[in-house]
């Protein structure tokens, strides 16, 4: 067993021996467990930009966690290299919303860049598809198999008083943004929350679409732009990744909102975003731990609409 396998095994031992979330009703228990080949085959069938070979042969591992319908949540680690201590730890997450195809595709493209250029400057873990069940629905859905928006389901002391209530009042209980019956009710949420607590990243990069901007939560200095995407803070509230990791845990969270859910950026744009991201990581991480700032929600109704699109 090499050092990479030892470290990743240690991470997932930590993750999956932590206390589980409150059990859901038996009818909502995970379906029959699939394997990596099953999941990669399904990805290949849904995304023209990710081939079966890309997925099967790209070094992805089964994390030991599963979606509601039993798909393994796949991860890839770019570990520390010999004789070079990494500057910081970075977690990259794609496919939180199953109908945001480009967020998954770009995450795979970034992994291919690192396959060639991993220098050991950073210690990376990638989760290219957090919500496989949403992607594999026909049509694909923003929510997971239980109809829960994973990016509204993170833990927070004010989850019900603010997060759940705001969903009721500001969206008229729009099912696309349903935060779930209680925090961390979903296996996909539980996996990500425990991974963040175990890996302790110095920055989290979360890919979404289609707002065409860069959002930022937590301490430190945000990037002014990544490629052609410019900074425009949308705010956060209980249940979101920005609130949990950025505000509660004091970890910088960059949300990359691609311009289109269906169309990938050009190869040049994907590379440009990557270069800007790495430059920001070099200059700004790690940051001194401290609470992030809760951004005020703009009164403009269009911005409110975008805020709920995160």
């Amino acid at each position: 067993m090499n050092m990479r396998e030892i470290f990743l095994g240690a991470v997932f031992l930590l993750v999956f021996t932590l206390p589980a979330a409150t059990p859901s009703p038996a009818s909502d228990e995970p379906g029959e467990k699939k394997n990596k080949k099953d999941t990669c085959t399904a990805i290949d069938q849904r995304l023209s930009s990710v081939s079966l070979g890309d997925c099967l042969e790209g070094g992805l591992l089964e994390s030991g966690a599963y979606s509601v319908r039993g798909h393994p949540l796949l991860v890839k680690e770019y570990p520390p290299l010999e004789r070079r201590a990494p500057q910081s730890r970075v977690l990259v997450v794609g496919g939180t919303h199953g109908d945001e195809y480009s967020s998954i595709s770009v995450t795979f493209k970034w992994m291919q860049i690192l396959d060639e250029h991993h220098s050991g400057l950073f210690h990376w873990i990638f989760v290219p598809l957090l919500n496989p069940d949403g992607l594999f629905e026909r049509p694909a859905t923003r929510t997971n198999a239980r109809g829960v928006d994973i990016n509204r389901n993170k833990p927070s002391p004010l989850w019900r008083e603010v997060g759940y209530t705001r969903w009721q009042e500001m969206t008229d209980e729009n099912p696309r943004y349903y935060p779930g019956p209680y925090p961390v009710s979903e296996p996909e949420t539980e996996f990500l929350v425990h991974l963040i607590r175990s890996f302790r990243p110095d920055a989290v990069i979360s890919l979404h679409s289609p707002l065409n901007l860069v959002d930022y939560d937590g301490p430190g200095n945000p990037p002014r732009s990544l490629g052609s995407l410019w900074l425009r803070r949308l705010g956060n509230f209980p249940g979101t990744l920005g609130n949990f990791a950025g505000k509660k845990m004091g970890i910088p969270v960059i949300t990359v909102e691609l311009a289109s859910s269906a169309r990938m950026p050009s190869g040049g744009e994907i590379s440009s975003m990557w270069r800007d991201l790495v430059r920001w990581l070099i200059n700004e991480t790690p940051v001194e731990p401290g609470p992030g700032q809760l951004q005020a929600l703009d009164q403009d109704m269009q911005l409110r609409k975008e805020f709920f699109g995160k």
Side-chain angles (χ1 to χ4, degrees):
M1 179 177 290
N2 59 33
M3 290 302 296
R4 176 177 180 275
E5 292 170 330
I6 291 171
F7 176 82
L8 198 53
V11 167
F12 297 126
L13 179 63
L14 283 171
V15 170
F16 298 110
T17 54
L18 290 173
T22 304
S24 297
S27 61
D28 283 342
E29 288 301 311
E32 181 181 351
K33 290 180 179 178
K34 285 87 173 170
N35 58 33
K36 183 174 84 169
K37 184 176 181 181
D38 297 328
T39 301
C40 285
T41 299
I43 292 172
D44 173 57
Q45 292 171 349
R46 295 310 304 267
L47 299 177
S48 61
S49 60
V50 181
S51 72
L52 182 59
D54 291 337
C55 187
L56 283 177
E57 300 165 14
L60 287 164
L61 299 176
E62 296 184 23
S63 65
Y66 294 85
S67 69
V68 171
R69 292 196 172 138
H71 281 282
L73 301 180
L74 303 175
V75 298
K76 185 169 183 177
E77 183 195 15
Y78 296 85
L81 302 181
E82 277 190 56
R83 300 191 182 91
R84 183 170 195 178
Q87 175 179 321
S88 52
R89 297 177 299 276
V90 186
L91 175 63
V92 181
V93 182
T96 300
H97 297 137
D99 58 359
E100 296 174 1
Y101 308 114
S102 58
S103 75
I104 306 160
S105 298
V106 169
T107 306
F108 270 94
K109 296 301 182 186
W110 282 358
M111 288 192 297
Q112 290 172 0
I113 293 174
L114 264 183
D115 288 341
E116 296 185 23
H117 301 291
H118 177 45
S119 66
L121 180 59
F122 302 106
H123 180 179
W124 306 82
I125 288 182
F126 278 69
V127 181
L129 178 54
L130 182 62
N131 182 9
D133 295 346
L135 174 66
F136 302 151
E137 286 284 353
R138 294 188 178 273
T141 61
R142 174 185 174 92
T143 57
N144 76 348
R146 291 180 183 144
V148 175
D149 183 343
I150 298 170
N151 200 34
R152 298 293 181 274
N153 193 236
K154 307 297 187 301
S156 169
L158 296 176
W159 183 87
R160 182 162 297 278
E161 296 88 337
V162 178
Y164 192 91
T165 300
R166 189 169 289 183
W167 166 71
Q168 292 178 309
E169 296 175 351
M170 294 186 69
T171 75
D172 294 325
E173 300 190 5
N174 187 330
R176 279 179 56 79
Y177 309 114
Y178 175 51
Y182 51 85
V184 200
S185 62
E186 307 309 299
E188 301 90 349
T189 312
E190 183 179 13
F191 160 74
L192 185 61
V193 166
H194 288 174
L195 178 57
I196 290 171
R197 287 173 171 164
S198 301
F199 182 49
R200 296 177 292 109
D202 296 297
V204 177
I205 317 301
S206 180
L207 284 87
H208 288 266
S209 63
L211 301 186
N212 194 33
L213 54 84
V214 176
D215 192 12
Y216 187 87
D217 298 293
N221 300 312
R224 293 183 58 192
S225 64
L226 298 179
S228 65
L229 305 178
W230 287 85
L231 178 68
R232 187 183 183 193
R233 286 187 164 186
L234 300 181
N236 61 57
F237 66 94
T240 63
L241 178 61
N243 185 278
F244 166 67
K247 183 173 186 290
K248 183 178 179 182
M249 297 192 68
I251 302 169
V253 177
I254 294 178
T255 302
V256 180
E257 283 279 356
L258 303 167
S260 170
S261 294
R263 296 189 309 276
M264 279 182 61
S266 68
E269 173 67 5
I270 292 171
S271 296
S272 179
M273 288 188 294
W274 178 255
R275 286 193 299 270
D276 289 345
L277 174 61
V278 170
R279 186 179 300 114
W280 179 84
L281 289 168
I282 291 171
N283 293 333
E284 301 293 342
T285 65
V287 299
E288 290 296 324
Q293 296 298 311
L294 182 64
Q295 301 298 314
L297 189 63
D298 194 292
Q299 295 303 305
D300 178 74
M301 290 306 296
Q302 180 61 31
L303 186 57
R304 286 192 180 199
K305 180 180 178 182
E306 291 179 355
F307 177 73
F308 280 100
K310 287 178 68 174

